[in-house]
Every structure is written in C-alpha cells, then in structure tokens.
Amino acid sequence: MRAQRASMQNVSLGAHYVVHMPQPDDFAYWRERARALIQCDVPPDRVSWVEPGGTGDLFAEGGPPRRTRRLPSPGKDAREVRVPRRFLRLARNAILHSDQTRFAQLYLLLWKLQSNPRIMEDKADPNVRRIEELDKSVRRDSHKMHAFVRFREVRDESGADHYVAWFEPDHHIVRANAGFFMRRFANMNWSILTPRGCLHWDGTTMRESGPARREDAPQGDPVEELWKSYYSSIFNPARLKVGAMLAEMPKKYWKNMPEAKLIPDLIAGAQAREAGMVAAGAREAKERPATLDAIAAGVSACRDCPIAECGKRGVMGEGAETAPLMIVGEQPGDQEDLQGRPFVGPAGQLLDEYLAQVGIDRNAAYVTNAVKHFKYVQRGKRRIHQSPTAKEIDTCRWWLEAEREVVKPRIVLALGASAARGLLGKTVSVSRARGTPIPLEGGAELWVTAHPSYLLRLDGEARETQAELFARDLTSVKARLDALPA
Ligand code: URA
C-alpha cells in the first residue's frame, strides 16, 4: 500500500496525459512510457498517445477538451510491471500497425493485464482480439515486403552498382525489416525506397532517410535473374493453391515481378516438388529415401539449412548406381549450380584431368558433394563461393549418407576437409589424414585428399608440391580399386 502511494505521488488526480511518440514504430519508447504510467496507476482513459502527424486517442471521441499534464514519473520503490511473453511478442508487432489507436489499445491491454494476468488467453476479449488482428496484418505486410521488393540496378556517382527498390507497405514495417534485407543482400549496395521512409545499405552501414515518392525510384526491368532464382527457391509447392496465391499477390505488385513468368512452370512441376518435400520430411521420421531418384527429389526440396535458399537448385550426385568408387567434393560451385551437375566447372575439369592421368574412369564412379546447395555471396553480378559451416555440412550429411547407402561404394574419396567431415561427422586435417585409409561404417574405406580448387588457387612450387601429393593420393585409390575382388 505504501509502495502504491509512493508510486502515485506525482500523479495529478483527474489530469490527462499525452504521450508524443517520437516515431510511429518506437516500441522501446512506448514500453518505457507505458510502464511508468502503469506504475503510477494512470488509467487508460486518462492517456492520449499521439504519433507524429496523428492522434491516437482511443477515448477522445466527442469528449470535451481536456487539461493535459507532464507525464508522471514512478517513485523509486514502484512495483514491477510484469507481462506474459505473448503480450510482448504481439505488442512488438502490433505497434507497427498504421491504426492510430494501436498505442492506446496496447496500453488498455497492459492495464487489464495487471488485474487479470490470464487475459491473453481470453479469446472473447475484444481488446486481445484487436491486438491479435494488428499483429497478423503486420506480419502479412512484412511477408509481402520480403516477397515483393524488386531491385533495379543503377550506377551510383562512383560508377559502382547500386540496387534500388520501390515498395509501398501498409504499415510502419520498414525499419523492422532492415535486418532481413541486410542479411539477404549483405554484399550488395542497395536502397529500399518507401513512402514511409527509406533504407540504404552500403555493405557495412545501414542508413535511414525520410519518405520517398515512386518517381524517386528507377523504373524499368528489375534484375530478373536474381529475382527469378530467389522466387523459385522460395516457391513452396505443398502450399500451392492457385486462388490463394493470386489473393496473396495483389495485382499492384505484378508489374514489378519478373517471376510471374515462372509461375506456369512452377505449378506444372509442383507435384514432383511436393513428392520431394515428402522425401525431405522423411528425415524427421528417420527414414532415409532408398533410391537415388527419391534422394534427388528430397535434396531439391530440402530447406533444412540456410544454404538451401541460395542458388538455383540442389545439386544431386551423379554416376553409376553401383559404383565401387564414390568421389565426394565440398559443394556445387557457380557452374554446377547453373548446370545442375557436380564437378563440371574449373575444379571439375582439373579433377577429370587427374582421374584420367591415373586411369580412373569417372563414368564408372559416383560423384557427389558433402553439401548439395551452392553457398555464395552476391557481388554485383558475380556469385562468390563461401565455405559451408560445420553445421551446414552436418545437416547435409543425411543426404550423403543416403547416397552412400544406395550406391554402397567400396572406396570413398573425400576431396578436402569439408568432404571428409561430411563422411566422418568430425573434422580431420587433410595433411594428417591423407595416405592412410579410414574405415567407414558399412565397410567402405575412406581416402582423404586435397580439393582440386585448392590446387587452382596455388601457383609455382607450392602448386607443384600439392599437385604431386594429389596425384599420389589418386594413384593409391586406383591401386585399391584394382585390388578389389571382382
Ligand atoms: N567444388 C566442389 O566441391 N564440388 C563441385 O561439384 C564443384 C566444385
């Protein structure tokens, strides 16, 4: 009781308080002010929440003008304000809605929570329902921003590539989504212009600027290839409902969408991709697909790690189904991703040369990768290879093991440390592991050597030394193959 009195000491009885929000999406500011007002026991009908350029007074309609006061501050021993996590989660989103009464609605709910901590579970409470609706439409708007922002390429003053997009959000979601675009397009210089404010990323720093007009954004074709591949990678055939899809893609976005051309093909291929998703889902049931076709379908639908969103496709292994030798690389590169086949780019050509040199027939082997998607960063028009993390290799191991179970090779050749990790589930050093076979579960033997792209990066004496070691490792593998019982 004493604490309550102390907390109320600077509240004027009957006064009305106005909170001027500095930004329409400033959750931290709202939370601080709301907490202080609750601690001072200021009821919701005595607070107006005003956002820049608007009014948020839920209770003002038709009432007489009120006397307003400076905001009260709670005493030192004011009680703590506790709220369920769900309230915080919804409030963070709901505050981004363009409904001007959102701050007041949230404060009302916060007020009610103090006497009824379980009110969030009350589906019939109109206040809870309204906050849920606000949250839902903000999430939907963010989803649209992720899906429909389209960049156009322009040159900035320094002649560097810059990508500019125009987007019209329904709510104040621009700043809240900065992180999403920063992560997805980390290595591009880009700007997203909107009537609610703009974001600018230069590869290191995010800058904001005020509202823009449509005329400020470049018109013309978006960067088609970038977006078509992004779109086909996020297209989810299991959720394909044409009517719903059209409802999800309002016409106002269509003119911006090069991938609209892809839709007929994607719909046509949806059944096969759905089968793939079933195969991908089998991991949860711990049932590995038992044929190479089923594995291929599962690989192309797999979204178990972030790399799966990169590149055009999952690249499945290829070769003889009962090959005595399985050759495992790290991950597809740019060319492999474009052609959908392993080891067809520069590293593949070098590998082919060495295989031919030692007398191993690539067509009699099964060639695959530890990781099935191309991990890269976009630099202008170039896609620069990024090494997969141990976690990504371990996640993709499921598919490599499935391939190994079907092909049942007697000898496995790992090209580089990532491939070795994919086979062993732990990191080994190539220089220590090479030259001595390691037994694998199921009876095969594993030979570890360097990756051919490592040789491609070297020159001079270092290249000669490594090339010699590489050829020696391949020669040992050839000798083991020749010694296999027929
Ligand atoms: N590097 C790899 O590890 N695998 C490929 O398929 C191509 C390049």
Side-chain angles (χ1 to χ4, degrees), residues 57 66 126 148 164 179 184 199 271 299 320 352 360 366 399 455 464 468 473 483:
D57 192 347
R66 310 168 206 229
F148 299 138
V164 182
R184 188 160 292 267
L199 298 171
Q271 247 182 354
V299 161
D352 288 351
I360 295 177
Y366 182 87
W399 300 117
L455 302 188
E464 267 171 40
E468 226 169 83
D473 291 337

Side-chain angles (χ1 to χ4, degrees), residues 329-333 336 342-343 347 369 451:
E330 182 195 70
Q331 61 170 346
E336 287 76 15
F343 281 107
N369 281 298
H451 194 285

Side-chain angles (χ1 to χ4, degrees), residues 303-336:
R303 294 290 176 269
D304 285 345
C305 79
I307 312 182
E309 301 295 352
C310 292
K312 285 190 176 301
R313 69 190 98 229
V315 177
M316 174 67 180
E318 67 174 21
E321 191 166 333
T322 52
L325 172 65
M326 178 183 262
I327 301 175
V328 183
E330 182 195 70
Q331 61 170 346
D334 180 70
Q335 280 305 310
E336 287 76 15

Side-chain angles (χ1 to χ4, degrees), residues 5-309:
R5 225 176 280 128
S7 75
M8 290 182 63
Q9 62 200 359
N10 38 26
V11 176
S12 313
L13 281 179
H16 194 84
Y17 298 93
V18 179
V19 184
H20 289 277
M21 295 294 296
Q23 300 285 346
D25 59 351
D26 196 338
F27 178 71
Y29 190 90
W30 176 86
R31 184 167 61 178
E32 281 312 304
R33 298 303 173 281
R35 180 191 288 132
L37 288 161
I38 292 283
Q39 286 174 324
C40 295
D41 283 317
V42 178
D45 59 355
R46 288 214 272 123
V47 191
S48 294
W49 299 86
V50 179
E51 66 179 308
T55 166
D57 192 347
L58 188 60
F59 303 96
E61 271 167 47
R66 310 168 206 229
R67 277 182 321 122
T68 60
R69 289 283 154 88
R70 272 172 60 107
L71 290 190
S73 40
K76 279 203 197 74
D77 47 0
R79 72 198 139 93
E80 260 185 67
V81 179
R82 291 189 170 278
V83 290
R85 255 198 217 136
R86 176 146 191 272
F87 171 81
L88 274 184
R89 197 162 41 74
L90 292 181
R92 272 204 177 88
N93 254 347
I95 215 137
L96 307 179
H97 201 281
S98 49
D99 179 343
Q100 292 199 339
T101 66
R102 64 196 181 280
F103 307 112
Q105 292 272 3
L106 281 167
Y107 185 65
L108 177 61
L109 185 52
L110 181 62
W111 174 266
K112 292 202 233 168
L113 269 168
Q114 305 314 301
S115 54
N116 179 3
R118 308 197 62 166
I119 196 167
M120 298 303 294
E121 291 153 38
D122 182 355
K123 293 274 171 232
D125 184 282
N127 191 202
V128 173
R129 279 215 312 268
R130 180 66 190 142
I131 298 300
E132 284 173 345
E133 281 163 15
L134 297 184
D135 163 64
K136 196 166 161 199
S137 68
V138 164
R139 277 190 286 119
R140 200 175 146 82
D141 203 26
S142 290
H143 168 74
K144 291 216 167 88
M145 185 172 181
H146 297 178
F148 299 138
V149 155
R150 295 290 174 277
F151 287 104
R152 267 108 179 147
E153 191 175 4
V154 293
R155 300 235 162 234
D156 66 18
E157 314 85 63
S158 66
D161 288 341
H162 195 104
Y163 296 87
V164 182
W166 168 253
F167 185 72
E168 291 173 51
D170 293 330
H171 304 298
H172 303 284
I173 58 163
V174 176
R175 193 178 289 128
N177 283 291
F180 172 87
F181 288 96
M182 188 184 80
R183 283 187 297 278
R184 188 160 292 267
F185 302 108
N187 293 292
M188 284 164 50
N189 291 342
W190 54 257
S191 296
I192 300 178
L193 311 186
T194 91
R196 293 177 188 267
C198 306
L199 298 171
H200 311 273
W201 172 251
D202 63 5
T204 347
T205 314
M206 185 70 75
R207 221 167 32 78
E208 292 175 17
S209 64
R213 293 159 313 156
R214 179 184 279 281
E215 309 85 87
D216 300 330
Q219 310 296 315
D221 282 347
V223 194
E224 297 220 0
E225 283 315 311
L226 191 68
W227 282 103
K228 282 206 267 188
S229 67
Y230 172 56
Y231 185 74
S232 31
S233 78
I234 61 168
F235 183 82
N236 183 344
R239 298 217 196 106
L240 179 63
K241 291 197 180 74
V242 177
M245 185 165 88
L246 296 178
E248 273 295 315
M249 267 188 207
K251 280 212 164 114
K252 74 172 179 176
Y253 301 113
W254 284 18
K255 57 185 173 307
N256 274 343
M257 294 170 34
E259 69 276 23
K261 293 179 212 147
L262 293 177
I263 291 173
D265 279 355
L266 289 171
I267 292 175
Q271 247 182 354
R273 294 189 65 198
E274 186 169 357
M277 292 178 83
V278 172
R283 183 194 293 239
E284 271 157 44
K286 307 233 174 324
E287 284 164 17
R288 279 196 225 281
T291 65
L292 291 179
D293 284 347
I295 299 170
V299 161
S300 81
C302 181
R303 294 290 176 269
D304 285 345
C305 79
I307 312 182
E309 301 295 352

Side-chain angles (χ1 to χ4, degrees), residues 292 317-318 320-329 364-369 372 399-415 423 440 444-447 477 481:
L292 291 179
E318 67 174 21
E321 191 166 333
T322 52
L325 172 65
M326 178 183 262
I327 301 175
V328 183
Y366 182 87
V367 180
T368 190
N369 281 298
K372 308 294 191 231
W399 300 117
L400 183 58
E401 287 295 293
E403 284 174 295
R404 208 156 70 76
E405 274 174 23
V406 174
V407 178
K408 297 194 176 38
R410 305 289 300 280
I411 297 177
V412 181
L413 173 64
L415 304 174
L423 289 152
L440 286 177
E445 61 186 49
L446 170 67
W447 289 75
V477 167
L481 280 171

